Amino acid sequence: VLPFPSQVVYNRVGKCGSRTVVLLLRILSEKHGFNLVTSDIHNKTRLTKNEQMELIKNISTAEQPYLFTRHVHFLNFSRFGGDQPVYINIIRDPVNRFLSNYFFRRFGDWRGEQNHMIRTPSMRQEERYLDINVCILENYPECSNPRLFYIIPYFCGQHPRCREPGEWALERAKLNVNENFLLVGILEELEDVLLLLERFLPHYFKDVLSIYKNPEHRKLGNLTVTVKKTVPSPEAIQILYQRMRYEYEFYYYVKEQFHLLKRKFGLKSHIRKPRPRPEFFIPSPLETEEPIDDEEDDEKWLEDIYKR
């Protein structure tokens, strides 16, 4: 009997550092002897009912302990009679994620493999070199909803309403984070994410931070940085903020929960000057500057999480 979960799913959000984490997982799976199950499907996140059943069946019958990773919206295993695995994920500032994806689709990264040409072979030259400001200000489909409603569906799930920007999908995503995810980290604080993963899931992530900090690994990681990125004008960014207001409400909610978790386990963040929050109509999330009042034993808390 394993002291920690033997079934882990990382349903990675696109352009949120997942290739860096998968590089680490390949090393860790050899080091610790767990079964890393990856998928070659990168562009099918929404599944029919039969596709959900088939994927859940395939995942559930993998040799344990396993860690399954794929770009796919949240799957409810229990709905189809399966055991719900432990979920983990990482998100980032929504505008930064969007910009990274916009330029990656067009120009790839430093690996020089022309992956972007393979990924978007039918993209016309005028579209490939479309100025980001024009795309946003003139409301091209790629720079407007529903394309900008991207992060929340990974946590909301497979229901059709999860793809509709609005309160329903937002609240369902928050509920799933609370009930089904052991950890949702913030890419801007990746080292702390890795520290917590090592604490919570040592069978999978022991020594992950030392591997991540290794200069040779850093060289590999730097090759996955998107090239030719430019910064939109302040006017264009403000429009993106408005269009992504639900994404930002979710992002700040997850960030607040992540910081609560860090304080619970005694992690001290490096103090950086916070970026100003975008000014739109959603209220700022509840600030939690004081340590939470909790007499519960840390290990007991972990056991309860694993029993979910």
Side-chain angles (χ1 to χ4, degrees), residues 36-191:
L36 177 61
V37 184
T38 60
S39 174
D40 293 328
I41 302 172
H42 302 292
N43 58 357
K44 190 172 177 58
T45 57
R46 309 161 183 174
L47 310 178
T48 66
K49 183 177 179 181
N50 286 337
E51 287 171 339
Q52 291 178 58
M53 292 173 65
E54 186 66 22
L55 181 56
I56 287 172
K57 178 183 176 182
N58 291 341
I59 296 172
S60 300
T61 54
E63 180 184 351
Q64 298 184 21
Y66 69 73
L67 191 151
F68 174 79
T69 179
R70 172 179 162 178
H71 295 298
V72 64
H73 295 168
F74 175 78
L75 292 163
N76 190 337
F77 282 61
S78 57
R79 179 189 174 201
F80 298 101
D83 294 329
Q84 192 71 7
V86 165
Y87 267 86
I88 58 173
N89 217 323
I90 300 171
I91 65 173
R92 73 191 286 190
D93 178 278
V95 164
N96 286 343
R97 194 220 67 82
F98 164 75
L99 294 175
S100 180
N101 184 65
Y102 183 89
F103 292 104
F104 178 72
R105 288 184 68 243
R106 286 161 170 77
F107 308 114
D109 53 34
W110 288 109
R111 291 176 297 175
E113 297 170 358
Q114 300 299 310
N115 282 352
H116 58 296
M117 300 298 288
I118 298 169
R119 186 175 288 103
T120 54
S122 61
M123 184 179 283
R124 301 186 309 275
Q125 284 297 91
E126 58 266 31
E127 183 183 358
R128 194 175 299 281
Y129 290 94
L130 176 64
D131 183 271
I132 183 69
N133 290 300
V134 173
C135 184
I136 297 166
L137 297 175
E138 297 188 13
N139 206 24
Y140 279 64
E142 186 177 359
C143 297
S144 59
N145 280 319
R147 297 277 188 90
L148 296 179
F149 193 69
Y150 183 88
I151 297 174
I152 286 174
Y154 275 88
F155 299 88
C156 179
Q158 297 289 335
H159 193 287
R161 290 187 68 183
C162 288
R163 303 192 288 273
E164 299 173 5
E167 291 289 338
W168 189 91
L170 170 64
E171 293 306 317
R172 182 162 173 152
K174 288 179 181 179
L175 183 66
N176 276 334
V177 166
N178 293 336
E179 294 187 350
N180 292 295
F181 282 79
L182 173 65
L183 177 69
V184 182
I186 300 296
L187 182 62
E188 293 86 354
E189 301 172 34
L190 181 57
E191 289 193 9

Side-chain angles (χ1 to χ4, degrees), residues 284-303:
S284 296
L286 177 68
E287 298 291 347
T288 50
E289 295 302 325
E290 295 299 318
I292 55 174
D293 182 18
D294 192 351
E295 298 178 357
E296 184 179 17
D297 179 72
D298 286 349
E299 301 303 327
K300 173 70 164 53
W301 179 86
L302 282 174
E303 289 175 12

Side-chain angles (χ1 to χ4, degrees), residues 262-305:
K262 287 199 333 184
R263 284 198 288 275
K264 186 178 183 73
F265 287 91
L267 282 183
K268 307 296 185 185
S269 297
H270 296 293
I271 303 300
R272 297 175 182 172
K273 184 177 180 180
R275 293 175 55 190
R277 286 182 175 163
E279 296 176 1
F280 40 70
F281 69 82
I282 66 167
S284 296
L286 177 68
E287 298 291 347
T288 50
E289 295 302 325
E290 295 299 318
I292 55 174
D293 182 18
D294 192 351
E295 298 178 357
E296 184 179 17
D297 179 72
D298 286 349
E299 301 303 327
K300 173 70 164 53
W301 179 86
L302 282 174
E303 289 175 12
D304 290 343
I305 284 285

Side-chain angles (χ1 to χ4, degrees), residues 238-278:
Q238 187 61 33
I239 288 173
L240 281 181
Y241 281 149
Q242 291 287 347
R243 292 175 184 169
M244 303 173 85
R245 56 189 177 273
Y246 295 111
E247 294 273 275
Y248 268 99
E249 184 166 351
F250 182 73
Y251 171 73
Y252 285 124
Y253 176 81
V254 166
K255 188 173 184 178
E256 202 68 31
Q257 298 303 309
F258 181 61
H259 287 173
L260 275 172
L261 200 56
K262 287 199 333 184
R263 284 198 288 275
K264 186 178 183 73
F265 287 91
L267 282 183
K268 307 296 185 185
S269 297
H270 296 293
I271 303 300
R272 297 175 182 172
K273 184 177 180 180
R275 293 175 55 190
R277 286 182 175 163

Side-chain angles (χ1 to χ4, degrees), residues 195-246:
L195 275 170
L196 286 176
L197 285 171
E198 185 170 356
R199 172 72 185 269
F200 295 167
L201 299 169
H203 191 93
Y204 301 86
F205 288 96
K206 190 174 187 299
D207 300 324
V208 65
L209 197 58
S210 60
I211 296 170
Y212 173 71
K213 289 183 173 182
N214 183 289
E216 291 303 312
H217 182 269
R218 283 296 177 96
K219 284 182 186 177
L220 286 175
N222 289 339
L223 293 177
T224 66
V225 175
T226 301
V227 299
K228 296 190 179 180
K229 278 197 289 189
T230 60
V231 179
S233 68
E235 179 189 3
I237 288 180
Q238 187 61 33
I239 288 173
L240 281 181
Y241 281 149
Q242 291 287 347
R243 292 175 184 169
M244 303 173 85
R245 56 189 177 273
Y246 295 111

